[in-house]
Amino acid sequence: MRRLGLLAAAGTIALVLGVAVPARALIVFDPNNYIQNVLTAARELQQINNQITSLQNEAQMLINQARNLAKLPYSSLQQLQSSIQRTQQLLSQAQRIAYDVQQIDRAFSTSYAPVTGSQSSQLLITNAQSRWQNTYAATQDALRVQAGIVGNLDTNRIQTSALVTSSQSASGALQATQAGNQILALSAQQLADLTAVMTAQGRAQSLEAAQRAAAQDQGREQLRRFLTPGQGYQSQDVRMFHQ
């Protein structure tokens, strides 16, 4: 019993004085090792956080790419093509002297050609009637083209509003680009309509000017014939009231 008491007292003194004891008897706390373990765990946690952030960035990048590659759900191509086809159809329906170089050359070598002394009066009258009919038809054609393009204005207004709305609500670069391209196509279609109007109006004005020039030339020839002895007016006696 005395020996056991001495051993217990010695163990107590050793604990108080910090004397090393067998590992199986005591649990030793190492502050340096603890700090290193905490730092290692913190670094590993930071690496995990960095990986999570990287994965989130990659996911957002894929989402943005998908948005940029998304096609515009609205298309005005069919309406634009229909408007252009209507204008082309009106131009193709030009009456008499149409938009054809060979046909124009034939007309100006016949009915619009300078008057010669060998042409009969009946031919002069026929040519004058043909020129008037050409001018009349060209004026009608110009008015029809103008009416058709005015009819396209409402369609263009609807398409412009839809495309601007689509452009403003575009979710990605591709949709914005496609909306911009369609707006440019609409502007080109409107420019084509304007060109068609100017062409039809210019055709009517040109034929009217050609008619006036031919009429002046024909008038000079008819005046010359009238003043030429034996060809123009010849006076003769006329009996009135059964005299």
Side-chain angles (χ1 to χ4, degrees):
M1 294 297 294
R2 184 179 179 180
R3 182 176 296 176
L4 292 174
L6 290 174
L7 290 175
T12 302
I13 295 172
L15 289 174
V16 173
L17 297 177
V19 178
V21 295
R24 66 177 179 272
L26 298 174
I27 299 176
V28 179
F29 175 75
D30 188 352
N32 293 330
N33 186 43
Y34 176 77
I35 294 174
Q36 292 297 327
N37 291 336
V38 170
L39 292 177
T40 300
R43 285 193 293 268
E44 291 178 353
L45 180 61
Q46 183 63 39
Q47 291 178 355
I48 294 175
N49 290 333
N50 292 337
Q51 292 176 356
I52 293 174
T53 302
S54 177
L55 292 175
Q56 290 176 343
N57 292 335
E58 291 179 1
Q60 186 62 43
M61 181 179 65
L62 293 175
I63 293 173
N64 293 334
Q65 289 178 353
R67 289 177 178 176
N68 288 333
L69 295 176
K71 293 183 179 180
L72 190 69
Y74 179 80
S75 176
S76 63
L77 179 60
Q78 183 176 359
Q79 289 79 5
L80 293 178
Q81 288 179 338
S82 298
S83 298
I84 293 175
Q85 288 175 356
R86 284 194 296 269
T87 302
Q88 289 178 334
Q89 185 178 7
L90 289 172
L91 292 175
S92 65
Q93 293 174 351
Q95 305 172 75
R96 300 181 68 83
I97 300 180
Y99 303 96
D100 182 83
V101 175
Q102 295 181 353
Q103 190 175 2
I104 293 172
D105 290 341
R106 286 195 299 269
F108 275 79
S109 64
T110 54
S111 57
Y112 290 90
V115 179
T116 62
S118 60
Q119 292 176 334
S120 64
S121 298
Q122 183 59 43
L123 180 59
L124 296 181
I125 295 174
T126 301
N127 288 340
Q129 290 177 342
S130 177
R131 292 191 296 266
W132 177 85
Q133 291 173 354
N134 292 338
T135 302
Y136 181 87
T139 302
Q140 183 183 15
D141 292 339
L143 292 175
R144 294 179 72 248
V145 172
Q146 292 172 4
I149 291 175
V150 169
N152 289 339
L153 291 179
D154 189 59
T155 301
N156 293 341
R157 177 186 60 80
I158 295 175
Q159 297 306 316
T160 300
S161 177
L163 289 173
V164 170
T165 301
S166 299
S167 176
Q168 292 175 345
S169 60
S171 61
L174 180 59
Q175 288 189 358
T177 302
Q178 289 179 337
N181 291 339
Q182 292 189 49
I183 291 176
L184 291 176
L186 178 61
S187 300
Q189 182 265 324
Q190 293 173 337
L191 181 60
D193 280 352
L194 179 60
T195 303
V197 169
M198 296 178 62
T199 301
Q201 186 65 31
R203 170 174 172 262
Q205 293 175 350
S206 297
L207 288 176
E208 183 179 3
Q211 179 191 5
R212 289 196 302 266
Q216 292 176 357
D217 182 53
Q218 181 174 329
R220 286 191 296 267
E221 175 60 22
Q222 289 177 328
L223 178 61
R224 186 192 66 79
R225 294 182 183 184
F226 180 81
L227 298 177
T228 299
Q231 294 185 6
Y233 173 76
Q234 296 181 2
S235 62
Q236 57 182 348
D237 296 336
V238 178
R239 292 186 177 183
M240 299 182 62
F241 306 109
H242 303 285
Q243 293 180 355

